[in-house]
Amino acid sequence: MAGERSIPGADVVAKTRHGELTVDEVADLLPGGAEIMEAFGRRYWVMHYAARGGNWDLARYEWREAGKLLRALAKTRPKYAEDLATFEREAYAKVGAALEAADFPAFDRAYRAGIEASDTYHAKWGKAFIRFRLPDRPPDGLDVGGTR
């Protein structure tokens, strides 16, 4: 995009079968940081109980999908992009490595370190009141146990 002329989003209109929307209106429809992080938190919760229950495939799936949410947040809220990339590289990758090894003790250490890192980043951005805590029960509606 370097060197290309930028066009204000209000000036670009998309026509769909349902009507017209400007790029700015489309951007306003995107989920915000709170919604993305709420979805991330749910996946992080499921991931833990799936790994604990030996359902490594589900835990790895949740890890991959939660990672997509981190990258989406970096795009929709670019002011956080550098910290999100650092978190993914320094904390989240260790969670994934432990999942690949199906090593619950290593996973649990990396997982809890990820929570501590999250708390640090929230505090850095003036949101120290946001602190993920692993619920004391598995999520409803999913079988987080291993193969039966």
Side-chain angles (χ1 to χ4, degrees), residues 12-93:
V12 179
V13 177
K15 294 181 181 183
T16 73
R17 66 177 183 251
H18 303 292
E20 296 181 354
L21 292 170
T22 67
V23 170
D24 285 346
E25 290 170 326
V26 171
D28 287 342
L29 296 172
L30 294 173
E35 292 87 0
I36 292 172
M37 290 310 297
E38 183 174 344
F40 180 88
R42 173 147 176 91
R43 289 195 179 278
Y44 208 66
W45 174 25
V46 172
M47 181 194 317
H48 188 277
Y49 280 96
R52 181 191 281 184
N55 191 340
W56 296 105
D57 289 336
L58 177 59
R60 290 180 195 111
Y61 172 78
E62 295 295 341
W63 181 83
R64 287 190 306 273
E65 293 301 309
K68 291 176 188 177
L69 291 168
L70 292 175
R71 290 183 290 282
L73 182 58
K75 288 179 183 176
T76 61
R77 298 298 184 268
K79 73 179 184 179
Y80 303 124
E82 187 176 325
D83 283 342
L84 288 164
T86 301
F87 172 80
E88 192 167 2
R89 187 176 56 253
E90 294 180 2
Y92 202 62

